[in-house]
């Protein structure tokens, strides 16, 4: 049997639907999704099998004009993911078309795209009329030499099979990179922290989601088969701590319940989740926070 395997980087502006597509390809939620921009902070790998091919999808943080250290480290991680991949899939949103952000990414692709295939995936086709799609596909292909163009809805699944089949055929021949039954290569403590960060992000507003981070501090296996998971939510201000806790602890309680339910479903066993909020004004400048997130602190240097 000839096997194929390789890395496929999903890149695009924040909110393009990269994580949604990764989860659909893998068939499980390994990367968190919210309606807000800049949800994904580091590279997250998910593994999918298609016949004799093993597709290792690399979800990346959205590409945008970085301002803070964290933003710069995220953008560096995204381009790094593309540079390491066999194939790059650029995702754009059908209803937004060729934005300034997309133009910037196309410029970056001139260099990173060298020597590897780049496919275009126009996502969220459920939001526009078909005529508009053809125009956008033509416009985009006039700007860059895409190997192929796909029109998809990552959320609803339209066109995803075609993309998957094409990717499987384009990957180089070679042995599989992960055991056949593995779906992610993120440590469980990080997946668990991400689940909590997703639930928090969904409930918090304005700048707060961008100024907090979640870490799993300890993970204990209990004799009864359950797990005790202790996590810390870092915020930058006292006021933020109050908001995260909510009136009478309402918010943190809801977050904890939702995260625990998702974690239990993922692990298929009972979980005791304990959340603690700590004010750490400078966490965005601490290298340890970056390594916990899977980012390189130095990438944030100006
Ligand atoms: N209507 C529609 N919404 C979608 C589709 N795919 C993704 N979304 C939504 O778009 C939003 C962003 O999705 P994500 O998967 O988090 O986007 P992302 O590209 O990973 O975003 P960042 O991690 O911030 O870079 C979510 O609310 C998704 O539910 C789609 O095909 N159609
Ligand atoms: Mg994402």
């Amino acid at each position: 049997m000839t096997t194929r395997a390789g890395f496929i980087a999903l890149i695009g502006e924040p909110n393009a639907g990269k994580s949604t597509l990764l989860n659909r390809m893998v068939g499980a939620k390994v990367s968190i999704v919210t309606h807000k921009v800049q949800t994904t902070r580091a590279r997250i790998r998910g593994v999918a099998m298609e016949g004799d091919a093993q597709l290792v999808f690399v979800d990346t943080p959205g590409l945008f004009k970085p301002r803070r250290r964290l933003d710069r480290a995220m953008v560096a991680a995204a381009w790094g993911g593309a540079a390491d991949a066999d194939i790059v899939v650029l995702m754009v949103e059908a209803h937004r078309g060729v934005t300034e952000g997309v133009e910037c990414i196309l410029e970056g692709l001139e260099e990173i795209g060298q020597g590897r295939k780049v496919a275009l995936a126009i996502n969220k086709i459920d939001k526009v009329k078909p005529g508009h799609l053809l125009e956008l596909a033509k416009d985009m292909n006039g700007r860059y030499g895409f190997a192929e163009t796909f029109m998809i809805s990552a959320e609803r699944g339209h066109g995803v099979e075609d993309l998957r089949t094409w990717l499987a055929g384009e990957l180089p021949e070679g042995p599989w990179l992960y055991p056949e039954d593995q779906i992610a290569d993120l440590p469980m403590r990080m997946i668990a922290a991400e689940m909590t960060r997703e639930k928090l992000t969904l409930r918090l507003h304005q700048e707060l989601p961008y100024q907090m981070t979640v870490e799993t501090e300890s993970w204990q296996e209990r004799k009864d088969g359950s797990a005790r998971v202790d996590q810390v939510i870092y915020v930058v201000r006292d006021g933020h701590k109050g908001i995260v806790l909510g009136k009478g602890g309402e918010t943190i309680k809801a977050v904890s319940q939702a995260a625990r339910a998702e974690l239990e479903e993922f692990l298929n066993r009972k979980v005791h989740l304990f959340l603690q909020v700590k004010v750490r004004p400078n966490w965005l400048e601490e290298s340890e926070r970056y390594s916990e997130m899977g980012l390189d602190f130095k990438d944030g240097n100006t």
Side-chain angles (χ1 to χ4, degrees), residues 38 64-72 75 207 300 302:
Q38 295 163 39
F64 59 103
K65 214 171 173 183
R67 270 173 287 146
R68 306 177 299 171
R69 174 185 279 275
L70 176 60
D71 301 342
R72 288 191 296 272
V75 167
E207 275 304 297
T302 33

Side-chain angles (χ1 to χ4, degrees), residues 27 36 44 65 71 107-108 124 126 128-129 137 142 148 166 199 201 239 244 267 278 284 291:
K36 298 192 175 143
I44 293 175
K65 214 171 173 183
D71 301 342
E107 261 170 49
K124 309 196 184 182
D126 51 286
V128 296
K129 297 209 173 73
E148 198 70 58
W166 180 81
K199 305 307 171 208
T201 300
V244 170
L267 294 169
K278 284 189 187 165
L284 280 148
S291 45

Side-chain angles (χ1 to χ4, degrees), residues 176-191:
W176 292 337
L177 304 160
Y178 292 91
E180 212 176 328
D181 57 356
Q182 188 168 339
I183 55 164
D185 80 343
L186 210 59
M188 205 45 235
R189 48 190 294 137
M190 198 169 150
I191 294 182

Side-chain angles (χ1 to χ4, degrees), residues 13-20 22 31-34 36-42 44 59-62 194 197:
E13 282 191 280
N15 229 27
K18 302 175 291 296
S19 303
T20 306
L22 174 104
S31 194
I32 63 170
V33 170
T34 79
K36 298 192 175 143
V37 296
Q38 295 163 39
T39 298
T40 306
R41 285 185 179 164
I44 293 175
D59 185 15
T60 65
E194 287 286 275
R197 191 164 64 81

Side-chain angles (χ1 to χ4, degrees), residues 59-299:
D59 185 15
T60 65
L63 292 160
F64 59 103
K65 214 171 173 183
R67 270 173 287 146
R68 306 177 299 171
R69 174 185 279 275
L70 176 60
D71 301 342
R72 288 191 296 272
M74 282 162 56
V75 167
W79 280 122
D84 290 342
D86 297 287
I87 305 173
V88 173
V89 177
L90 169 62
M91 291 182 74
V92 298
E93 288 171 280
H95 59 291
R96 294 187 63 225
V98 187
T99 59
E100 220 175 284
V102 167
E103 284 180 337
C104 277
I105 297 173
L106 289 172
E107 261 170 49
L109 271 178
E110 292 296 340
E111 193 186 323
I112 299 282
Q114 297 281 334
R116 56 179 57 81
K117 288 210 162 126
V118 182
L120 174 66
I122 301 179
N123 189 33
K124 309 196 184 182
I125 58 168
D126 51 286
K127 287 193 157 185
V128 296
K129 297 209 173 73
H132 175 82
L133 286 174
L134 293 175
E135 241 171 75
L136 177 56
K138 209 173 142 200
D139 185 352
M140 286 294 288
N141 278 279
R143 293 166 188 262
Y144 189 86
F146 293 105
E148 198 70 58
T149 299
F150 297 88
M151 319 245 183
I152 67 168
S153 171
E155 196 165 73
R156 301 190 185 180
H158 305 298
V160 172
E161 250 334 287
D162 283 351
L163 172 58
R164 197 182 158 106
T165 309
W166 180 81
L167 290 167
E170 293 296 327
L171 284 179
E173 285 181 11
W176 292 337
L177 304 160
Y178 292 91
E180 212 176 328
D181 57 356
Q182 188 168 339
I183 55 164
D185 80 343
L186 210 59
M188 205 45 235
R189 48 190 294 137
M190 198 169 150
I191 294 182
E194 287 286 275
M195 284 175 180
T196 301
R197 191 164 64 81
E198 180 191 84
K199 305 307 171 208
L200 274 168
T201 300
L202 291 171
R203 279 178 182 78
L204 302 174
H205 306 292
Q206 288 155 358
E207 275 304 297
L208 225 167
Y210 308 102
Q211 298 190 1
M212 59 90 181
T213 191
V214 182
E215 291 178 15
T216 301
E217 271 208 331
S218 79
W219 186 296
Q220 286 168 274
E221 297 298 338
R222 288 188 166 175
K223 281 201 194 77
D224 63 3
S226 67
R228 180 194 164 119
V229 182
D230 285 86
Q231 295 180 333
V232 183
I233 300 161
Y234 289 111
V235 295
V236 292
R237 277 205 284 279
D238 267 335
H240 287 179
K241 180 172 175 174
I243 297 169
V244 170
L245 293 174
K247 212 191 277 166
E250 246 171 33
T251 307
I252 191 118
K253 201 168 152 202
V255 164
S256 173
Q257 270 170 2
R260 176 175 49 82
E262 198 166 297
L263 195 51
E264 285 184 336
E265 201 193 305
F266 194 89
L267 294 169
N268 207 10
R269 59 199 175 101
K270 202 160 169 48
V271 173
H272 309 273
L273 178 64
F274 295 89
L275 302 181
Q276 201 190 340
V277 189
K278 284 189 187 165
V279 181
R280 213 167 165 104
N282 213 26
W283 79 257
L284 280 148
E285 295 299 328
E286 291 173 346
S287 71
E288 205 190 327
R289 306 280 83 75
Y290 287 69
S291 45
E292 279 287 326
M293 278 186 263
L295 288 173
D296 191 338
F297 184 69
K298 290 193 297 298
D299 282 344

